[in-house]
Amino acid sequence: MGRPLQICYVLAGSGDDVYADMLYISASMSRRLYADARIRLLCDEVTAPALEQHHSPVLDVVDEVVRVETGMTTVASRSRFVKTSMRQVVQGDFIFLDADALPVQPFHQMALVKEDFAAVRDCLVVPAGQWYQLKLLWRHWTESPPIPAPVKPVYDSMAWNYPPRYYFNTGVMFMRDTPEARRLGQEWHNRWRQQFDKLGIHQDQFSFNSAIHDLTTPIRVLPTRYNAMVRTSPWYAHRAKIFHFFTTGKSPEPGTVLARLVETLQKTRKLDTEMIERFCRSGYPWLTDSLLLRAAAGNYGVLAQRLIPGRRRQTA
């Protein structure tokens, strides 16, 4: 790449909570892959000084903290206000990563597309024990998951065009610094404000996908390996470059590498670099050693060691 990669994160909170811990882990893993990357952290008016007050290690891994005045009263609303504003705030092309998105392999290829915007389609969460169904395998191979059920009621309430052409997950995105992309960013923020004011819903994907449906912004649909939402289906772990774990409440997705990394960080205040290296080598995001999960993640070398007689001794 000609210029250093620009990576953006958004953080809203107390400055020493689980979201700051996850962001520290993710940003450290981005720095591991791209030592010269320009990492910007966008914060609201409450979080920025809180990070300084708590001497957050996040400040040691990012290059710049950009403070955005939101005027919002809750953590969730401040977070989404900042996130939907970032295209208007940041100069230059950038890749955005959620705090619970962990990069394990180089991902700069997503910034080489010609289109103004690139992302992975959102995926339905699969109930436990049902991911092996043939129709879910087909969904994985075709990468065309259906639109989640909660979308239509929101679109109906806001009188937005339904169904949208695509329904992207906004946890990992690439945005160019072009007039079209900036128009998309402004429309995203405007629709989010309207949605929040009318319905009190702070989630940002409804407004984003509505905006991109109605505008002419050139877009690129990326393969799921750039935003592997493994809770939706373990098959997405295969060849993943960025793992996206879903955080529920104040806890990372249980049973995952992210959950263990956060737990270790909170106990020792140190990053478990050995676990990160193992994770990046194996591409296996769970703590459970399951044959089915191993197969879904494409860990065929590990499977061979466990299933073929004498193979473990030969490769030890």
Side-chain angles (χ1 to χ4, degrees):
M1 297 183 63
R3 293 180 292 180
L5 193 66
Q6 181 168 214
I7 303 171
C8 292
Y9 289 91
V10 167
L11 180 65
S14 65
D16 66 344
D17 54 23
V18 67
Y19 295 99
D21 291 337
M22 290 191 298
L23 196 149
Y24 174 55
I25 293 167
S26 180
S28 297
M29 293 179 70
S30 290
R31 184 68 72 193
R32 169 187 174 275
L33 293 169
Y34 301 101
D36 62 343
R38 183 71 177 174
I39 302 181
R40 283 192 166 88
L41 173 61
L42 282 68
C43 294
D44 61 276
E45 64 272 27
V46 176
T47 306
L51 291 171
E52 295 281 357
Q53 179 183 351
H54 292 289
H55 306 288
S56 173
V58 168
L59 300 176
D60 298 326
V61 72
V62 303
D63 294 293
E64 181 184 5
V65 175
V66 180
R67 175 169 167 163
V68 179
E69 299 293 328
T70 70
M72 311 300 284
T73 59
T74 66
V75 172
S77 60
R78 291 197 301 269
S79 170
R80 300 317 195 276
F81 186 105
V82 175
K83 183 176 177 180
T84 59
S85 302
M86 60 184 172
R87 180 61 285 174
Q88 313 309 114
V89 173
V90 177
Q91 299 294 320
D93 302 348
F94 66 81
I95 292 175
F96 168 77
L97 298 179
D98 266 349
D100 54 5
L102 302 187
V104 297
Q105 299 294 334
F107 55 91
H108 63 273
Q109 296 90 343
M110 63 187 294
L112 301 178
V113 302
K114 297 179 180 179
E115 292 81 2
D116 291 335
F117 169 81
V120 174
R121 290 177 177 179
D122 198 35
C123 301
L124 292 175
V125 175
V126 179
Q130 296 184 20
W131 55 267
Y132 53 82
Q133 294 181 20
L134 183 59
K135 64 180 180 180
L136 299 180
L137 290 178
W138 176 255
R139 181 182 302 160
H140 166 68
W141 290 326
T142 60
E143 296 181 352
S144 56
I147 297 172
V151 174
K152 191 175 189 305
V154 173
Y155 275 49
D156 289 345
S157 297
M158 297 302 301
W160 291 338
N161 292 318
Y162 184 90
R165 287 179 295 159
Y166 303 100
Y167 197 77
F168 291 104
N169 183 278
T170 58
V172 178
M173 301 183 294
F174 168 67
M175 298 189 81
R176 289 200 177 280
D177 193 349
T178 63
E180 282 293 325
R182 286 188 171 271
R183 190 158 72 97
L184 171 61
Q186 187 62 62
E187 187 65 19
W188 180 18
H189 182 70
N190 291 344
R191 294 191 187 206
W192 177 81
R193 285 302 305 265
Q194 294 166 7
Q195 168 197 295
F196 183 75
D197 292 343
K198 182 176 181 178
L199 305 178
I201 296 175
H202 68 265
Q203 285 86 355
D204 60 87
Q205 286 187 178
F206 301 119
S207 53
F208 177 83
N209 285 286
S210 171
I212 209 165
H213 174 84
D214 291 343
L215 298 181
T216 58
T217 311
I219 61 175
R220 171 72 66 91
V221 179
L222 294 173
T224 53
R225 60 179 174 270
Y226 288 98
N227 186 355
M229 295 163 270
V230 291
R231 184 181 174 190
T232 67
S233 175
W235 301 99
Y236 294 148
H238 182 50
R239 299 174 58 215
K241 293 177 178 290
I242 301 172
F243 285 91
H244 188 183
F245 303 95
F246 297 153
T247 304
T248 55
K250 296 183 179 180
S251 301
E253 190 173 338
T256 62
V257 170
L258 176 58
R260 179 62 56 81
L261 287 170
V262 168
E263 179 184 2
T264 301
L265 181 61
Q266 291 177 339
K267 288 181 178 179
T268 67
R269 302 318 302 167
K270 294 181 180 179
L271 202 61
D272 190 340
T273 55
E274 291 185 6
M275 173 170 272
I276 288 175
E277 290 299 327
R278 291 197 303 271
F279 176 33
C280 293
R281 287 195 302 269
S282 69
Y284 187 71
W286 300 281
L287 301 177
T288 303
D289 190 19
S290 161
L291 286 176
L292 290 175
L293 289 175
R294 289 279 184 188
N299 289 179
Y300 305 122
V302 175
L303 283 170
Q305 292 182 32
R306 295 184 57 189
L307 295 177
I308 301 176
R311 177 70 176 176
R312 184 184 296 275
R313 290 193 304 272
Q314 295 172 12
T315 58

